[in-house]
Amino acid sequence: MDKKKDNVISLQTVIANVAMLDLVKQVRELREQQREMCEMAVKSMLRALDAKDHYTYGHSTRVAYYSVTLGKELGLNDEEMYELEMSALFHDIGKIGVPDAVLLKPARLTEDEFLKMKEHPSMTAEILQDFDCFTDIATYAKHHHERYDGRGYPDGLKGEEIPLFSRIILIADTFDAMTSTRPYRKGLPYEVAFSELEEFSGSQFDAELVKHFIKAMTREDSKGEDTFELTIIEGNFAKDAA
Ligand SMILES: [Fe+2]
């Protein structure tokens, strides 16, 4: 009699385990689908950015490449690398909301125009925050203009209050702004941009991250490649903005 009862219990346990495994599988599949939807959203938003301002689109791909180069040097895991690449690709998506007369102005911005431009990190966060899969990414993008000494924007965060990925993106972003050639000026050589990053280490940038960045980028540069690839969007992207 007891043996029969034991058999019933073990059969119930097996059924419960199978049901649980099925549930886990379904949750995993749902997450996978959600990630795919998010990636589709990324791609269409990036296409919109490309249509609005081709330079900023190219800049975003290069900032993603520089950011993941530093992330790899820091030994980030696959999940962290994915989030970092996504945050960097997206960091300037809020520029969609900046008027063309300001965004595309080929000359120095007036004080008012600069204030308008400074709204883009908060706009990025506003665009992204409604997506569940982008909540953290919205935060990292929002803080990519915070300075290590607390004199950045939008929230004046200081030191390690600034999320690590935002500190990484700031270095990648500034490096690209210095090294890319624009119609009105030639990009700086890597060595000159490295010394600028070093000069502002501890004030604008996280000094430790700058050291790792220079090491990783020097190694990357020695490969002599003209293009790079990303994991989230497909294609061979040009390192040279011109
Ligand atoms: Fe920015």
Side-chain angles (χ1 to χ4, degrees):
M1 182 67 187
D2 273 344
K3 203 167 179 195
K4 231 183 198 176
K5 201 173 159 192
D6 282 353
N7 283 344
V8 170
I9 291 171
S10 57
L11 185 63
Q12 281 171 341
T13 314
V14 169
I15 291 169
N17 281 342
V18 168
M20 184 58 85
L21 280 175
D22 203 40
L23 195 65
V24 169
K25 195 174 156 222
Q26 280 180 34
V27 169
R28 203 176 291 142
E29 280 171 4
L30 271 173
R31 277 216 197 106
E32 200 50 50
Q33 279 172 16
Q34 195 195 27
R35 178 176 275 209
E36 276 169 25
M37 296 279 290
C38 288
E39 287 191 4
M40 279 162 64
V42 176
K43 287 170 190 165
S44 62
M45 279 196 249
L46 283 173
R47 266 198 290 274
L49 180 66
D50 193 14
K52 162 112 175 159
D53 177 10
H54 183 65
Y55 171 78
T56 300
Y57 171 76
H59 162 74
S60 303
T61 63
R62 290 188 300 278
V63 171
Y65 160 61
Y66 299 140
S67 297
V68 295
T69 301
L70 174 52
K72 238 180 270 168
E73 180 71 21
L74 298 173
L76 300 185
N77 66 33
D78 288 352
E79 190 57 34
E80 291 166 330
M81 288 294 285
Y82 179 88
E83 278 211 314
L84 176 60
E85 183 177 321
M86 186 79 94
S87 314
L89 269 176
F90 258 141
H91 78 287
D92 271 348
I93 208 88
K95 284 188 177 171
I96 287 175
V98 175
D100 284 356
V102 176
L103 185 62
L104 307 176
K105 188 176 175 184
R108 211 181 171 84
L109 299 181
T110 64
E111 207 170 313
D112 278 355
E113 288 166 342
F114 187 58
L115 285 176
K116 194 79 213 149
M117 188 67 123
K118 277 173 82 174
E119 291 173 7
H120 80 270
S122 303
M123 276 193 223
T124 298
E126 267 173 49
I127 290 170
L128 299 181
Q129 68 198 3
D130 290 335
F131 290 90
D132 273 355
C133 48
F134 291 154
T135 318
D136 291 341
I137 287 161
T139 307
Y140 305 142
K142 180 180 178 185
H143 296 296
H144 79 272
H145 280 290
E146 304 286 1
R147 291 171 48 118
Y148 206 70
D149 58 11
R151 291 171 50 227
Y153 59 91
D155 292 343
L157 299 184
K158 198 174 179 176
E160 302 206 351
E161 287 170 4
I162 309 165
L164 171 66
F165 290 180
S166 313
R167 280 178 272 145
I168 291 176
I169 295 169
L170 175 66
I171 293 171
D173 188 16
T174 314
F175 184 74
D176 186 61
M178 289 191 287
T179 54
S180 59
T181 295
R182 305 301 311 268
Y184 46 90
R185 60 146 177 81
K186 197 167 162 30
L188 296 175
Y190 276 18
E191 293 67 34
V192 180
F194 288 156
S195 0
E196 288 289 310
L197 290 178
E198 277 168 338
E199 190 179 334
F200 294 96
S201 278
S203 53
Q204 192 170 352
F205 311 111
D206 179 326
E208 261 321 291
L209 291 182
V210 167
K211 277 189 216 155
H212 287 291
F213 181 74
I214 293 174
K215 193 174 157 208
M217 282 309 299
T218 304
R219 201 170 47 230
E220 267 299 295
D221 193 34
S222 70
K223 293 181 188 166
E225 293 163 347
D226 295 333
T227 59
F228 60 86
E229 288 179 14
L230 295 169
T231 59
I232 295 169
I233 50 172
E234 284 165 17
N236 278 314
F237 300 97
K239 286 185 182 175
D240 191 350

